[in-house]
Amino acid sequence: MSQANRTAAHDAPTRGNRLPLGGLLMFSGGSLAMGAWVTVPGLLLLYFLTDVLAVDPALAGLVLLLPKIADVLLHPWVGRLSDADLARRGHRRLLMAAACALPVAFALLFAPPGGVTGPAAAAWVAVAFVCGNLLFALYQVPYLAAPADLGIGYAERTRLMGFRMVVLTAGILVCGLVAPLITGQDDPTRGGYVRMGVMLGLGMLATMALGIRGVRRLTAAVPAPVPAARPGGLGALRGALRDRQFRVLTGSYLAMSTTSHLVLAAVPYYAEYELGRPRLTTVLVAAFVAPALVATPAWVAAARRFGKQPLLLLAQGVFTLGSLALAVGRPLGLPALVGAVAVLGIAFAAMQLLPFSMMPDVIEASGATSTAGAYTGVWTAAEATGAALGPYLYAGLLALSGFTASVAGQAVTQPGTALTALRLGFGLLPAALMLLALLVQRRYTLDRRLRVAEASKHLAHDAS
């Protein structure tokens, strides 16, 4: 839609608009590909390096961390490009279309050539990971900036992100269950990882195209009023970083992202070495993700009544307490452990839904909708940093404990220190990180002001 058409579409206020169901579903479909890129490497890549490619845990941790460090600069830069596209073309979809090469990088990530192992294999994975992260940023940043381009209010943003979260959760669940099965489950092979990369890559391509159509349909149906011009480039980035509410929300989300990705990376190790059954990886992933399919609509309804901030604090507290049960390990019993993981999954649903619906609130409150890409660039950089820090912390813990790397099919007896470390790293460390997220989140004060303003608007509307 051209800038002139966007202006003409907004002669009347639009904040009470509801988004069309078809557009919601298509937009949400784009998150399937994003979920696959985050979930499958987060779940399998560290294990693929240490237990299939014989990469030392310390080096494997660096392979996951160093490419993500570049994201701290890369994502804000992509945000600037996204804002420039909006100003020039009236939309952000050009970068998203360019990002559709991501499935190729995804397939190459799990397909080192020949029989290379050790440092050579680590180098291949690192290069593919860097390329994939760049393409991921080109899609994710404008995709997440799109809600700020819509003429919707506080509650409708939660509805939009609720749809996205349900579809994203379904994608995470499918990828988390199917990917280990394709690789070989109890006896994963290099060929299995190659097949998995190709098959899921094809699915990613289809859903990325669907997401682009969804963004186009939503912005055409409910475009936002054309905002006043604001400084772009570095000025917009500095404006985002000076926004106290945004800094607090982003800081808390960084700790949450670190925690959730640490747990995801630790699942295969916990299933194999603590519970003694590698196939329980799929059980634990299902227990973590599946409850979100039911919990997300409930969180959406609760947020409409109680607000987003109180519920996010509640979810962070529940996650902290639930993590402690996992540190007990096998003596607690498998049913109790699976139940604890399910509790974490319910809390995880809120920690995905609520922050993502609060970010557009911050952008609108700051009057920065024309530079939403700068905000989402910083936000996704924090998410990417957490995605790297979580596995890196766990890998570092394994390295310090004396964990022994191996190739596929090789039986290795791990020292007792390593077994203790992988168990405590799955429980105590996530609890400490989530407690930090909760303490930071308590400093966020915008949500109450927005709820009061929304209630006042409804009262005024009813009175008229």
Side-chain angles (χ1 to χ4, degrees):
M1 175 179 276
S2 69
Q3 198 74 3
N5 288 341
R6 288 168 62 88
T7 303
H10 285 284
D11 292 334
T14 61
R15 293 299 167 190
N17 287 342
R18 281 177 67 84
L19 298 167
L21 179 60
L24 281 171
L25 293 175
M26 285 191 290
F27 173 83
S28 301
S31 64
L32 291 171
M34 300 299 93
W37 175 257
V38 171
T39 302
V40 177
L43 176 65
L44 298 179
L45 194 54
L46 181 60
Y47 184 86
F48 177 61
L49 288 165
T50 62
D51 285 46
V52 177
L53 302 181
V55 178
D56 181 78
L59 178 57
L62 288 175
V63 167
L64 300 183
L65 177 66
L66 293 180
K68 293 289 187 178
I69 291 177
D71 291 344
V72 176
L73 299 175
L74 174 64
H75 283 243
W77 173 70
V78 173
R80 291 173 59 188
L81 294 180
S82 176
D83 289 336
D85 268 356
L86 179 66
R88 186 180 306 115
R89 298 180 174 85
H91 64 79
R92 305 176 186 270
R93 299 188 300 274
L94 184 62
L95 295 180
M96 296 177 69
C100 288
L102 175 62
V104 176
F106 179 83
L108 292 176
L109 186 65
F110 295 99
V116 296
T117 59
W124 173 276
V125 171
V127 171
F129 207 27
V130 168
C131 295
N133 284 335
L134 171 60
L135 294 167
F136 177 74
L138 293 178
Y139 194 96
Q140 187 193 38
V141 172
Y143 177 78
L144 292 179
D149 298 334
L150 304 177
I152 56 176
Y154 176 90
E156 190 67 3
R157 293 190 195 102
T158 310
R159 177 172 173 257
L160 169 61
M161 289 303 170
F163 270 84
R164 173 185 175 269
M165 182 59 196
V166 169
V167 176
L168 174 64
T169 300
I172 292 174
L173 182 60
V174 170
C175 290
L177 296 179
V178 170
L181 291 175
I182 298 174
T183 62
Q185 191 72 354
D186 286 347
D187 188 22
T189 64
R190 292 178 66 129
Y193 278 95
V194 172
R195 287 192 298 273
M196 180 271 296
V198 172
M199 293 173 64
L200 294 188
L202 291 174
M204 290 173 65
L205 180 60
T207 58
M208 291 175 79
L210 185 64
I212 294 172
R213 290 188 61 191
V215 169
R216 181 174 184 174
R217 184 164 177 178
L218 291 183
T219 52
V222 191
V226 177
R230 291 172 64 96
L234 293 177
L237 181 58
R238 285 193 295 267
L241 294 175
R242 283 196 298 265
D243 189 326
R244 179 183 177 277
Q245 299 295 331
F246 181 67
R247 290 200 312 271
V248 170
L249 185 63
T250 304
S252 179
Y253 186 69
L254 171 60
M256 286 187 282
S257 177
T258 302
T259 305
S260 60
H261 285 91
L262 186 155
V263 170
L264 197 62
V267 165
Y269 296 93
Y270 195 81
E272 177 171 355
Y273 295 107
E274 175 63 22
L275 302 181
R277 284 178 279 178
R279 68 177 56 214
L280 288 177
T281 295
T282 56
V283 175
L284 294 178
V285 170
F288 185 66
V289 177
L293 293 173
V294 177
T296 296
W299 285 118
V300 171
R304 190 176 295 115
R305 179 173 181 180
F306 301 107
K308 305 173 190 178
Q309 168 79 342
L311 293 178
L312 181 54
L313 293 172
L314 172 64
Q316 290 170 331
V318 169
F319 196 102
T320 301
L321 295 176
S323 297
L324 296 177
L326 300 177
V328 178
R330 193 181 309 174
L332 196 61
L334 183 60
L337 291 174
V338 173
V341 172
V343 169
L344 296 187
I346 293 172
F348 174 74
M351 293 187 298
Q352 288 295 295
L353 166 69
L354 299 173
F356 278 90
S357 65
M358 293 161 83
M359 181 182 60
D361 291 341
V362 173
I363 294 172
E364 185 185 356
S366 69
T369 53
S370 65
T371 56
Y375 278 75
T376 56
V378 174
W379 179 268
T380 57
E383 182 180 28
T385 301
L389 282 178
Y392 179 74
L393 290 174
Y394 196 74
L397 191 62
L398 294 182
L400 291 174
S401 69
F403 183 90
T404 303
S406 59
V407 297
Q410 178 184 4
V412 173
T413 301
Q414 301 293 348
T417 53
L419 298 177
T420 300
L422 66 88
R423 174 170 50 84
L424 296 181
F426 193 58
L428 292 183
L429 191 51
L433 289 169
M434 192 55 66
L435 180 60
L436 175 62
L438 187 153
L439 294 175
V440 174
Q441 186 66 40
R442 283 170 56 93
R443 300 172 61 194
Y444 180 82
T445 59
L446 178 63
D447 188 70
R448 179 174 176 80
R449 298 204 303 268
L450 292 178
R451 283 190 288 132
V452 170
E454 185 99 339
S456 297
K457 288 179 183 178
H458 285 305
L459 289 174
H461 180 269
D462 293 343
S464 63

